[in-house]
Amino acid sequence: FKMPHIDIFDGSGDPIVHVRLFSNVLWPMGLSRAQKLLLFGRTVRPLKYVFTFKTLMMNYFLKALVT
């Protein structure tokens, strides 16, 4: 498996756009929700505000993965 290029979210952009891009790029690969959740951590910069982003966006992210 080769992870497609997805820009790293560093807090300067719109987090919803990042989640949608991530979901749209990985959707055709047929990955499971668990696999997508594991890969999502590779697309965010590990800074203090990213934890807040992850916490606030997790419900939205899970909904986006299902569709």
Side-chain angles (χ1 to χ4, degrees):
F1 173 80
K2 182 177 178 184
M3 176 73 171
H5 176 74
I6 300 173
D7 290 335
I8 302 296
F9 180 77
D10 62 2
S12 63
D14 185 349
I16 293 174
V17 169
H18 178 74
V19 170
R20 286 184 180 165
L21 173 67
F22 177 84
S23 182
N24 290 340
V25 168
L26 294 182
W27 176 75
M29 297 181 163
L31 300 174
S32 70
R33 183 188 308 180
Q35 290 169 319
K36 290 178 188 177
L37 286 170
L38 287 172
L39 293 173
F40 183 70
R42 296 182 185 183
T43 68
V44 293
R45 184 167 286 164
L47 299 174
K48 181 180 176 181
Y49 55 81
V50 172
F51 175 75
T52 303
F53 162 74
K54 284 183 180 180
T55 303
L56 295 175
M57 295 301 298
M58 192 52 66
N59 284 335
Y60 180 84
F61 176 67
L62 291 173
K63 289 177 187 176
L65 290 177
V66 173
T67 58

